[in-house]
């Protein structure tokens, strides 16, 4: 052990170990300092390069002069700690490209087109505008187009975020990468390759992610004043000592002491340590923050946009009303749920789920037929049961005039009214809707109490959107927004000078999440939304947005405190070093003490209370 200490105390051994750290690992600081100075500024890189170089070259001078006073370890530790912090942030940010990969994987690989009168499977890249494409149940739609024959119900949730499949008939548009639920149809390809809706969303995510400039650290701003001041003081100290003491060595020691005490070890730790503790605290509470810059940005948010489906609401339909006209609730629910047992439609599944929750014993329907765009038919216990919309009842000559007010009332509340006919007469209405999450209203109130303007954004119709907005007390409603236009809405609100947060869970939200100042993804949503966002709320609860903003404010306050103490130690020590009261060794000790105080202050963040009201 003693032999090892003797070796490490040798100046030449320390020089050999410190040199690659200083000039190979630390090269980026010299490069950054050069570009900063060339641009007329002085950032953190200048401080690191200047301070570590002072410690290194003074130690080199002492090695050559045979003086056993070395500060190689100080420069090496500064470089190592700062790079460690940067590396951890880089790892967190490196996942953004995964969003693009996941989006691209949604596209169908092949398409079934009609060529020379025959159906042939070809790679989706070979589909041309004008091709007639055939799609069967359960298949992905390969490109964008317009239906020319047949009808179906299409699950567009991966693009629109809306959980209820959309009925499509001749003349309606279909979107590539969505899923055909029922029926076979033919459509004419109108957009292929880079022109499809999915490709446009991919491009929007790419553009938004690459346009995000890194946050300029508060330390860099202060450094623009601090660095020139320190260099000036060091030069003046050297000149004053040289002319007063007439001793080059004493003048050099005093000047180096100034530079060492000003060396930004604590400054380099001020931001990374607080961010590490802050992001760790967030992770403990289900708030995953990709990097320090997003934690910094969150505290500036003064406007927040909430996607409706899956964010404010649960994202899956539930039975909200059972209105019988002939029998009781349970009888109506039994016949309706039994008929829907053969359906794969989310509305039908919601009714079956409700019946199971109520403990109602269902029977298997004798016949089942899906009627695209209208509803279903089934025979239950020998009775003809029709479940669907007004069109279905009209087609079957079932009079619904007396219940029109009930239907309109439900629709005005944003609910889907499913009309039930048993044996030729109207038997009742079962209403289904995407219901509001338990804590959404409280979270929105907390955001408003923090002075944040709240918007609701959805592709759903205005009537449904306004009904949900009224329930959760949101005044700003933006409805009927196409997936590719959501990012434009974010940009428009940013253009009003607001710092915008976007909260969403669907693939269609990815461009808007990436375009916002801070994107929050609901962790119960899609992987693409989570990859494109800056902060992921693993618990799927809007209260996580409130907590993330509060954590951001607290972390930024800690960073500012750290910067104050880091500069306070340095600033107080500089006059003492200039006057000769601090040699480089004592200056190094003072520098280490400032680092300990900064780390200790950052660790106080662990005691931050992450509680929902």
């Amino acid at each position: 052990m003693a032999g090892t200490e003797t070796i490490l105390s040798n100046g030449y051994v320390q020089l050999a170990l410190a040199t690659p750290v200083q000039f190979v690992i630390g090269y980026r600081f010299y490069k950054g300092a050069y570009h900063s100075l060339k641009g007329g500024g002085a950032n953190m890189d200048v401080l690191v390069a200047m301070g570590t170089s002072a410690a290194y070259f003074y130690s080199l001078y002492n090695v050559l002069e045979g003086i056993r006073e070395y500060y190689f370890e100080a420069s090496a530790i500064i470089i190592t700690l700062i790079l460690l912090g940067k590396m951890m942030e880089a790892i967190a940010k490196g996942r953004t490209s995964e969003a693009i990969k996941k989006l691209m994987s949604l596209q169908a690989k092949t398409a079934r087109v009609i060529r020379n009168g025959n159906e042939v499977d070809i790679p989706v890249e070979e589909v041309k505008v004008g091709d007639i494409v055939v799609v069967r149940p359960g298949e992905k739609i390969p490109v964008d187009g317009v239906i020319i024959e047949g009808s179906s119900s299409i699950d567009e949730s991966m693009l629109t975020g809306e959980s209820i499949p959309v009925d499509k008939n001749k003349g309606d548009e279909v979107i590539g990468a969505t899923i055909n639920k029922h029926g076979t149809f033919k459509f004419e390809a109108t957009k292929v390759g880079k022109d499809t809706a999915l490709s446009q969303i991919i491009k929007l995510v790419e553009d938004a992610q690459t346009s995000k400039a890194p946050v300029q650290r508060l330390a860099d701003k202060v450094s623009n004043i601090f660095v020139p001041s320190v260099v000036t003081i060091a030069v003046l100290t050297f000149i004053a000592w040289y002319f007063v003491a007439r001793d080059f060595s004493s003048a050099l020691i005093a000047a180096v002491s100034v530079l060492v005490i000003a060396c930004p070890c604590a400054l380099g730790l001020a931001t990374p340590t607080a961010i590490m503790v802050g992001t760790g605290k967030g992770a403990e509470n289900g708030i995953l923050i990709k990097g320090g810059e997003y934690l910094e940005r969150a505290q500036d948010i003064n406007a927040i946009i909430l996607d409706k489906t899956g964010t404010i609401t649960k994202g899956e339909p539930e039975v909200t009303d059972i209105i019988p006209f002939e029998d009781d609730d349970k009888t109506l629910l039994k016949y309706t749920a039994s008929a829907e047992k053969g359906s794969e439609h989310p509305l039908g599944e919601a009714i079956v789920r409700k019946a199971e929750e109520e403990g109602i014993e269902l029977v298997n329907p004798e016949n089942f037929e899906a009627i695209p765009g209208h509803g279903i038919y089934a025979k239950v216990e020998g009775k003809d049961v029709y479940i669907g919309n007004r069109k279905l009842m009209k087609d079957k000559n079932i009079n619904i005039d007396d219940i029109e007010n009930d239907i309109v009332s439900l629709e005005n509340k944003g609910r889907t009214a499913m009309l039930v006919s048993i044996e030729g007469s109207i038997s009742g209405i079962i209403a289904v809707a995407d219901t509001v999450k338990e804590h959404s209203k409280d979270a929105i109130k907390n955001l408003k109490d923090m002075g944040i303007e709240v918007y609701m954004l959805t592709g759903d119709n205005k009537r449904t959107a306004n009904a949900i907005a009224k329930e959760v007390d949101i005044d700003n409603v933006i409805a009927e927004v196409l997936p590719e236009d959501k990012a434009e809405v974010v940009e428009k609100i940013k253009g009003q000078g607001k710092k915008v947060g976007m909260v969403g869970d669907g693939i269609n939200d990815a461009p808007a999440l990436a375009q916002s100042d801070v994107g929050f993804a609901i962790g119960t949503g899609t992987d693409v939304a989570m990859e494109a966002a800056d902060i992921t709320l693993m618990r799927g609860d809007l209260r996580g947005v409130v907590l993330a903003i509060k954590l951001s404010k607290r972390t930024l306050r800690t960073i500012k405190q750290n910067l104050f103490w880091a500069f306070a130690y340095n600033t107080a020590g500089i006059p003492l070093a200039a006057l000769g009261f601090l040699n480089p060794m004592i200056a190094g000790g003072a520098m280490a003490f400032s680092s300990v105080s900064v780390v200790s202050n950052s660790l106080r963040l662990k005691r931050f209370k992450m509680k929902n009201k």
Side-chain angles (χ1 to χ4, degrees):
M1 186 73 181
T4 304
E5 289 177 2
T6 303
I7 292 170
L8 292 176
S9 66
N10 185 297
Y12 287 99
V13 173
Q14 290 192 32
L15 175 63
L17 294 171
T19 300
V21 177
Q22 186 71 36
F23 298 109
V24 178
I25 298 173
Y27 170 73
R28 60 180 291 170
F29 296 114
Y30 287 102
K31 184 180 178 182
Y34 169 75
H35 287 297
S36 177
L37 293 171
K38 187 179 177 182
N43 62 3
M44 270 286 288
D45 289 338
V46 175
L47 273 174
V48 174
M50 181 186 70
T52 57
S53 295
Y56 176 87
F57 285 109
Y58 178 69
S59 300
L60 175 60
Y61 170 79
N62 284 353
V63 168
L64 297 176
E65 291 294 319
I67 303 170
R68 296 176 64 82
E69 225 174 81
Y70 314 125
Y71 303 97
F72 291 120
E73 78 284 352
S75 63
I77 288 169
I78 292 166
I79 290 170
T80 302
L81 288 173
I82 293 173
L83 286 180
L84 180 63
K86 288 181 181 289
M87 183 187 74
M88 292 184 74
E89 282 198 42
I91 290 170
K93 292 178 195 173
R95 298 175 186 167
T96 52
S97 62
E98 290 298 315
I100 308 298
K101 293 176 186 174
K102 289 180 185 294
L103 279 168
M104 293 178 75
S105 71
L106 294 172
Q107 193 173 42
K109 302 295 183 285
T110 61
R112 186 177 296 107
V113 301
I114 297 176
R115 295 271 170 92
N116 300 320
N118 298 316
E119 291 184 12
V120 292
D121 288 337
I122 62 172
V124 72
E125 295 81 10
E126 295 180 14
V127 178
K128 298 174 184 175
V129 172
D131 274 344
I132 304 303
V133 185
V134 181
V135 185
R136 292 174 182 152
E139 292 181 342
K140 280 186 181 179
I141 296 169
V143 295
D144 297 2
V146 177
I147 295 177
I148 59 170
E149 183 182 314
S151 60
S152 184
S153 179
I154 296 176
D155 180 358
E156 296 183 341
S157 61
M158 62 179 62
L159 285 172
T160 65
E162 301 305 325
S163 56
I164 300 172
V166 181
D167 293 325
K168 300 282 185 176
N169 297 291
K170 184 178 178 180
D172 290 336
E173 292 184 354
V174 291
I175 303 170
T178 57
I179 299 172
N180 180 29
K181 299 289 283 185
H182 309 289
T184 299
F185 64 89
K186 295 177 183 178
F187 74 93
E188 181 182 343
T190 57
K191 293 178 182 177
V192 300
K194 61 180 175 57
D195 296 323
T196 63
L198 180 64
S199 295
Q200 290 299 310
I201 288 175
I202 290 171
K203 185 176 184 300
L204 285 168
V205 173
E206 286 175 331
D207 291 346
Q209 286 185 344
T210 54
S211 69
K212 280 190 174 179
V215 171
Q216 184 186 11
R217 301 289 181 201
L218 181 58
D220 283 348
K221 295 178 182 178
V222 180
S223 297
N224 276 318
I225 301 168
F226 186 70
V227 173
S229 302
V230 169
V231 172
T232 302
I233 293 169
V235 170
L236 291 175
T237 298
F238 178 83
I239 293 171
W241 273 91
Y242 184 75
F243 282 103
V244 172
R246 297 290 177 180
D247 181 3
F248 177 83
S249 181
S250 297
L252 183 63
I253 289 172
V256 169
S257 295
V258 170
L259 292 175
V260 170
I261 193 68
C263 191
C265 187
L267 196 58
L269 292 170
T271 300
T273 54
I275 284 173
M276 281 181 209
V277 178
T279 52
K281 187 71 178 176
E284 286 175 19
N285 291 272
I287 301 168
L288 304 183
I289 303 163
K290 273 191 179 175
E293 68 181 82
Y294 310 116
L295 187 60
E296 289 183 13
R297 284 179 181 172
Q299 58 116 26
D300 292 324
I301 290 173
N302 53 22
I304 198 146
I305 303 171
L306 307 176
D307 175 56
K308 179 181 78 70
T309 307
T311 301
I312 295 174
T313 65
K314 293 177 181 177
E316 61 177 36
E318 290 183 357
V319 173
T320 56
D321 303 85
I322 300 173
I323 306 172
F325 299 130
E326 295 177 345
D327 299 303
D328 58 20
D329 289 13
K330 291 201 170 183
T331 303
L332 177 65
L333 189 56
K334 175 188 174 181
Y335 274 95
T336 308
S338 295
E340 291 282 9
K341 273 187 79 175
S343 171
E344 294 178 354
H345 198 290
L347 298 182
E349 290 173 353
I351 292 171
V352 172
R353 194 164 53 245
K354 177 67 173 177
E356 289 171 348
E357 288 171 3
E358 295 288 329
I360 296 172
E361 189 174 338
L362 304 183
V363 298
N364 291 320
E366 296 158 38
N367 295 312
F368 177 84
E369 179 191 348
I371 309 170
H374 292 72
I376 67 159
Y377 161 76
K379 189 175 278 290
V380 180
E381 294 183 338
K383 296 181 179 181
D384 291 325
V385 179
Y386 286 94
I387 305 166
N389 53 24
R390 291 179 178 88
K391 292 179 189 173
L392 179 64
M393 297 300 138
K394 184 178 180 182
D395 287 352
K396 301 305 171 185
N397 296 316
I398 298 167
N399 185 14
I400 58 169
D401 292 344
D402 294 341
I403 64 166
E404 183 62 29
N405 288 339
D406 293 310
I407 299 170
V408 172
S409 175
L410 290 168
E411 288 175 341
N412 286 336
K413 294 175 183 175
R415 296 166 190 175
T416 300
M418 300 177 71
L419 312 181
V420 184
S421 165
I422 301 173
E423 287 292 282
S425 64
I426 193 73
S427 301
I429 303 173
I430 294 185
V432 178
D434 184 9
T435 55
V436 170
K437 289 181 180 177
E438 183 184 357
H439 300 294
S440 289
K441 187 172 183 178
D442 289 340
I444 289 162
K445 182 181 183 302
N446 286 339
L447 289 168
K448 288 169 129 184
D449 290 344
M450 292 165 70
I452 297 172
E453 200 169 350
V454 182
Y455 295 78
M456 186 176 83
L457 183 65
T458 180
D460 216 337
N461 63 70
K462 288 182 180 178
R463 184 170 57 193
T464 302
N466 287 329
I468 295 294
K470 185 177 180 181
E471 193 173 341
V472 295
D473 197 22
I474 292 178
D475 300 319
N476 305 305
V477 182
I478 307 169
E480 298 178 5
V481 180
L482 295 173
E484 59 269 28
D485 294 336
K486 286 193 173 184
E488 285 184 24
V489 173
V490 173
E491 195 58 42
K492 184 178 178 182
I493 296 173
K494 283 173 69 176
Q496 297 170 10
K498 299 183 188 299
K499 296 293 182 183
V500 178
M502 170 73 196
V503 190
D505 76 320
I507 287 164
N508 67 304
D509 300 321
L513 289 168
Q515 189 65 47
S516 63
D517 291 297
V518 182
F520 297 83
I522 298 293
T524 50
T526 65
D527 288 344
V528 172
M530 290 165 66
E531 292 291 350
D534 307 314
I535 298 174
T536 298
L537 311 174
M538 295 305 296
R539 292 173 187 167
D541 187 337
L542 269 182
R543 292 179 301 173
V545 178
V546 179
L547 292 178
I549 294 171
K550 286 181 178 178
L551 179 62
S552 171
K553 290 179 183 292
R554 179 62 181 271
T555 304
L556 261 290
R557 195 165 78 216
T558 300
I559 289 172
K560 288 174 183 177
Q561 290 169 352
N562 286 350
L563 292 172
F564 169 78
W565 287 113
F567 279 112
Y569 279 115
N570 290 348
T571 305
I574 286 170
L576 296 175
L579 294 171
F581 295 116
L582 294 177
N583 65 27
M585 187 176 291
I586 297 173
M591 182 181 70
F593 183 71
S594 70
S595 299
V596 171
S597 68
V598 161
V599 172
S600 300
N601 191 48
S602 294
L603 290 173
R604 288 174 59 238
L605 269 172
K606 284 194 170 187
R607 299 201 296 269
F608 178 62
K609 303 294 183 187
M610 299 280 286
K611 288 184 179 178
N612 284 304
K613 290 183 180 180

